[in-house]
């Protein structure tokens, strides 16, 4: 089912899923009488739900683990190393990837290109099995659905865990034995990644992540001297980043997009989405972002950015 964002039931989605869970349980335990047209006879069909496929916000709705703030990662859980940006005020996962590398990887000892002066010696956090997760969620009682559900919080929420409920999927007798319970929809993620990259490189005002607060945080956490703000008397200047195109280069990209033609059915006519006067793209769908990410970005930026970029 598709639920519009403003009308989303949030954690109350279990109310909608309850009848479905009952049917899946029945299909697993007693099955359903089904006609096999190839053999022309009836048989008892049994079925199991392998996993769900959803974007990250919906992941939190169906799994019961909130995907917000510093404990957003449903695998690292309370063992992640996310921190709050001093100026940006948002949770950052900038330092959460190096402990997954092999112990002798050169990036672990790199004090310059990642977190300033920090060497990574920790190992990746343990990943809980389905049985272990079931034991954890079993400690949390039933939540009351309705208008008051958003005000209910379990003790330690946001500090030692991010559980907001015991998901209805745990009612399925086989759910704790699944190797994978929830999948992320790649197309949603790819669209977000594309928009962030494009908005930063093309310096889309109001949408780029390269803002004043980000530059202030760069001083605290990164070794990027060329990106630090420059004070010139009473004026503060933001140096142009090496990954950001000049205005004339941006126009070249948009004019190039206007001239593009694709094979029939390969992609939407992107030239119709280009506004050269405002230097913007309008109405990009997930498939268009996929084509842009996989095919067009290397061509569009190859001769306009530095080779290292």
């Amino acid at each position: 089912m598709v639920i519009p964002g403003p009308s989303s039931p949030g954690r109350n989605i279990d109310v909608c899923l309850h009848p479905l869970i009952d049917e899946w349980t029945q299909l697993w335990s007693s099955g359903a009488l089904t006609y096999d047209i190839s053999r022309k006879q009836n048989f008892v069909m049994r079925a199991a739900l392998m996993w769900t496929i959803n974007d990250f916000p919906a992941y939190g709705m169906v799994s019961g683990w909130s995907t917000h703030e510093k404990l957003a990662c449903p695998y690292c859980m309370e063992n992640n190393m996310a921190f709050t940006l001093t100026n940006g005020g948002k949770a950052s996962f900038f330092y959460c990837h190096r402990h997954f590398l092999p112990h002798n990887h050169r990036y672990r000892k790199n004090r310059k290109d990642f977190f300033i002066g920090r060497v990574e010696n920790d190992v990746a956090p343990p990943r809980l099995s389905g049985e272990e997760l079931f034991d954890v969620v079993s400690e949390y009682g039933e939540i009351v659905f309705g208008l008051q559900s958003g005000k209910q919080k379990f003790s330690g929420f946001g500090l030692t865990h991010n559980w907001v409920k015991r998901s209805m999927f745990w009612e399925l007798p086989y759910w704790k034995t699944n190797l994978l319970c929830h999948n992320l929809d790649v197309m949603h993620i790819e669209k977000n990644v594309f928009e962030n990259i494009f908005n930063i490189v093309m310096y889309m005002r109001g949408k780029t992540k390269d803002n004043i607060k980000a530059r202030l945080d760069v001083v605290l956490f990164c070794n990027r001297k060329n990106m630090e703000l420059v004070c010139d008397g009473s004026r503060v200047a933001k140096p142009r980043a090496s990954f950001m195109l000049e205005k004339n280069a941006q126009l070249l990209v948009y004019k190039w997009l206007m001239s593009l033609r694709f094979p029939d059915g390969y992609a939407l006519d992107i030239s119709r989405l280009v506004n050269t006067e405002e230097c913007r793209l309008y109405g990009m769908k997930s498939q268009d972002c996929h084509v842009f990410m996989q095919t067009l970005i290397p061509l569009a930026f190859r001769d306009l950015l530095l080779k290292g970029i």
Side-chain angles (χ1 to χ4, degrees):
M1 56 186 168
V2 178
I3 303 174
S7 305
S8 168
R11 68 179 70 178
N12 290 327
I13 195 173
D14 283 5
V15 176
C16 307
L17 291 174
H18 207 306
L20 201 56
I21 297 294
D22 291 341
E23 291 186 2
W24 278 330
T25 303
Q26 181 183 356
L27 280 173
W28 173 261
S29 57
S30 56
L33 192 63
T34 310
Y35 182 68
D36 186 342
I37 193 171
S38 63
R39 297 185 177 183
K40 294 181 171 52
Q41 64 184 25
N42 292 328
F43 71 101
V44 176
M45 179 186 70
R46 299 177 188 271
L49 175 67
M50 296 180 65
W51 49 59
T52 70
I53 304 176
N54 32 250
D55 60 10
F56 206 49
Y59 191 117
M61 292 166 55
V62 298
S63 69
W65 179 273
S66 174
T67 52
H68 299 284
E69 301 301 328
K70 291 189 290 186
L71 300 185
C73 179
Y75 286 100
C76 295
M77 295 186 159
E78 69 276 7
N79 297 311
N80 77 53
M81 303 178 70
F83 60 95
T84 302
L85 292 172
T86 306
N87 297 283
K90 294 184 177 181
S92 173
F93 296 81
F94 169 66
Y95 192 65
C96 296
H97 59 294
R98 284 204 288 174
H99 55 201
F100 288 96
L101 296 172
H103 190 68
N104 59 347
H105 199 284
R106 61 189 179 92
Y107 282 176
R108 282 181 169 269
K109 296 182 179 180
N110 191 322
R111 298 173 181 265
K112 179 181 177 182
D113 296 324
F114 299 98
F115 215 102
I116 294 178
R118 186 173 296 184
V119 174
E120 180 56 72
N121 293 315
D122 292 337
V123 296
R127 179 175 171 180
L128 299 181
S129 65
E131 287 84 355
E132 291 171 327
L133 278 177
F134 181 71
D135 292 338
V136 172
V137 298
S138 296
E139 298 178 2
Y140 300 105
E142 299 287 347
I143 69 169
V144 178
F145 295 110
L147 297 177
Q148 300 299 317
S149 64
K151 299 179 181 179
Q152 300 176 86
K153 287 188 178 180
F154 299 122
S155 176
F157 175 79
L159 299 175
T160 59
H161 70 87
N162 248 26
W163 292 110
V164 296
K165 66 178 181 179
R166 186 176 65 200
S167 173
M168 185 63 64
F169 287 101
W170 294 109
E171 302 295 327
L172 295 172
Y174 54 83
W175 195 247
K176 63 183 178 181
T177 64
N178 282 6
L179 294 179
L180 179 65
C181 294
H182 305 287
N183 271 300
L184 288 173
D185 177 7
V186 177
M187 296 296 278
H188 271 87
I189 300 171
E190 190 173 33
K191 185 175 188 295
N192 293 339
V193 171
F194 161 74
E195 289 177 347
N196 280 308
I197 291 177
F198 191 81
N199 292 339
I200 290 174
V201 175
M202 304 296 282
Y203 196 68
M204 305 293 289
R205 293 190 180 277
K207 294 186 176 182
T208 178
K209 303 296 184 183
D210 183 21
N211 50 41
I212 296 296
K213 291 182 179 179
R215 293 295 182 99
L216 291 173
D217 284 323
V218 162
V219 179
L220 301 176
F221 304 112
C222 308
N223 184 18
R224 305 283 191 275
K225 298 296 183 183
N226 59 324
M227 294 188 66
E228 296 180 5
L229 298 176
V230 178
C231 294
D232 182 14
S234 60
R235 181 173 172 270
V236 177
K238 187 176 72 170
R240 177 175 291 273
S242 58
F243 49 76
M244 191 174 73
L245 293 180
E246 298 280 355
K247 189 70 175 180
N248 58 345
Q250 295 176 23
L251 284 172
L252 282 176
V253 173
Y254 286 116
K255 290 179 180 178
W256 176 70
L257 291 174
M258 289 284 290
S259 65
L260 280 180
R261 296 295 180 268
F262 297 106
D264 186 39
Y266 181 77
L268 191 68
D269 185 4
I270 293 181
S271 63
R272 296 187 303 169
L273 309 179
V274 179
N275 188 322
T276 53
E277 294 181 359
E278 298 181 14
C279 288
R280 285 184 178 273
L281 288 176
Y282 289 98
M284 292 283 286
K285 305 298 183 184
S286 295
Q287 171 66 15
D288 309 318
C289 294
H290 171 76
V291 171
F292 213 117
M293 275 281 291
Q294 301 294 333
T295 307
L296 301 182
I297 273 188
L299 301 174
F301 299 150
R302 179 176 57 191
D303 297 327
L304 300 176
L305 291 173
L306 296 176
K307 186 175 181 180
I309 302 294

